[in-house]
Amino acid sequence: MLPGTLRELSGPKRALDVVLYSSGLVAAAATALTGATFLFWHAPIPARLGALIFAATLFLYNLDSVLPYKYRQQAVLSARKRWVLRHRRGLLALALGSLAVAVVLFVVDGWWHLRLFWGHLAAISLLYSLPVVRRRGHWRALRDLPLLKMFLIAYVWSAVTVWVPALRLGKALDEPAVLVLFARRFFFILNLALIFDIRDFTKDQLSGTRTFPGLFGLRATKVLGLIFLAVSAVLVPPGVSAAHGWVLLLPTLLAGVILWFADETRPEYYFALLADGLMLVQFAVAYWVA
């Protein structure tokens, strides 16, 4: 390949790294999943709410990525972590700027009366990353407690992307459609969390974090993920036609393929682009059938 061609490719690759490793795609995915829930109820996602979720996700994920204790506990740094190390100041500035935007939108958009609901999600998200639990002489974050990591992720993501739209539209959280949609989303996110546990297999082993791949092996983890997807697939909310139900299976099938071929030796893009990109597929399918 010619040197000029290499230079041309380096520009798009750098741009892609910025989007993926600064959590831009993750923030877009959270917004897209929320939008998919609004579309299920035949309503557009309010612009300020979408911006709030995008900014809050940027803050939490970039804060998590720049915490210093995480680098002290890793003997091996991935390409993604090396990129983050080189750009920690910029990511910290992005996190703080995103927090400021999220706070302003939270107040302006009139969510203050639900501050306890939002507060418990924020508390779980922060304690997920911050070392606040002392275990065996070491301070640990909630994510380091055995097998808790993926359930925390699934709960927060499902609460934000299902309960927040329901509350905005004046729906009770115990309505059958809300309950089923929450459970469907919960099991779908559990599968995605297992994919990222597979990615972090060696890192979690070195840091002492007990996850399903570390305790039960990769094959058992993949089988468990397929079970989660099967449960998600059969949880069809009331009012969905059979034809739409089949269309909605597309993200589930893609998630199963990505899980089955997941391996920690795969490039970072496999996880950062394909796995997170599944949530954009969820939105695209919801838009199609709406």
Side-chain angles (χ1 to χ4, degrees), residues 160-184:
V160 170
T161 63
V162 176
W163 282 348
V164 168
L167 291 170
R168 183 59 181 259
L169 295 173
K171 298 180 181 294
L173 300 188
D174 59 354
E175 286 185 18
V178 177
L179 290 173
V180 174
L181 194 56
F182 179 90
R184 180 184 178 91

Side-chain angles (χ1 to χ4, degrees), residues 178-206:
V178 177
L179 290 173
V180 174
L181 194 56
F182 179 90
R184 180 184 178 91
R185 187 68 49 75
F186 183 83
F187 282 100
F188 183 80
I189 298 297
L190 278 181
N191 170 74
L192 294 186
L194 286 178
I195 293 175
F196 286 100
D197 279 349
I198 292 172
R199 180 197 68 182
D200 296 336
F201 178 78
T202 298
K203 178 182 74 68
D204 287 336
Q205 291 283 85
L206 293 172

Side-chain angles (χ1 to χ4, degrees), residues 24-273:
L25 181 60
V26 173
T31 310
L33 273 187
T34 307
T37 303
F38 275 100
L39 287 173
F40 173 75
W41 285 310
H42 306 288
I45 182 173
R48 285 201 299 263
L49 177 57
L52 168 59
I53 291 173
F54 186 90
T57 307
L58 267 186
F59 162 67
L60 290 169
Y61 274 78
N62 281 298
L63 177 67
D64 176 79
S65 68
V66 299
L67 290 175
Y69 86 97
K70 296 179 66 176
Y71 299 97
R72 291 195 298 267
Q73 67 179 201
Q74 294 184 47
V76 178
L77 294 179
S78 64
R80 175 172 57 92
K81 290 298 182 182
R82 289 194 297 270
W83 187 95
V84 169
L85 275 173
R86 292 196 302 270
H87 300 87
R88 283 179 66 188
R89 289 187 178 181
L91 293 177
L92 179 58
L94 177 60
L96 295 177
S98 300
L99 174 61
V101 171
V103 170
V104 170
L105 290 171
F106 179 83
V107 175
V108 170
D109 209 29
W111 289 101
W112 184 251
H113 66 292
L114 291 174
R115 58 190 177 277
L116 292 180
F117 169 80
W118 282 94
H120 96 281
L121 296 177
I124 293 173
S125 300
L126 291 172
L127 296 178
Y128 172 85
S129 299
L130 297 175
V132 293
V133 178
R134 191 170 180 82
R135 182 169 175 265
R136 296 180 181 176
H138 298 282
W139 288 98
R140 302 279 187 175
L142 290 182
R143 63 181 294 162
D144 297 319
L145 299 180
L147 303 182
L148 186 59
K149 179 180 175 183
M150 69 179 194
F151 294 103
L152 293 175
I153 294 173
Y155 173 74
V156 172
W157 273 77
S158 301
V160 170
T161 63
V162 176
W163 282 348
V164 168
L167 291 170
R168 183 59 181 259
L169 295 173
K171 298 180 181 294
L173 300 188
D174 59 354
E175 286 185 18
V178 177
L179 290 173
V180 174
L181 194 56
F182 179 90
R184 180 184 178 91
R185 187 68 49 75
F186 183 83
F187 282 100
F188 183 80
I189 298 297
L190 278 181
N191 170 74
L192 294 186
L194 286 178
I195 293 175
F196 286 100
D197 279 349
I198 292 172
R199 180 197 68 182
D200 296 336
F201 178 78
T202 298
K203 178 182 74 68
D204 287 336
Q205 291 283 85
L206 293 172
S207 64
T209 301
R210 296 184 178 182
T211 60
F212 275 92
L215 290 175
F216 304 108
L218 295 180
R219 188 171 186 84
T221 298
K222 292 180 178 181
V223 171
L224 179 63
L226 293 180
I227 293 173
F228 288 153
L229 287 176
V231 174
S232 176
V234 300
L235 290 170
V236 180
V240 175
S241 67
H244 286 179
W246 282 108
V247 174
L248 292 173
L249 278 177
L250 176 61
T252 305
L253 295 173
L254 290 175
V257 172
I258 292 173
L259 167 71
W260 195 253
F261 290 101
D263 186 272
E264 66 174 336
T265 61
R266 291 201 176 273
E268 287 286 340
Y269 289 171
Y270 183 90
F271 302 95
L273 190 58

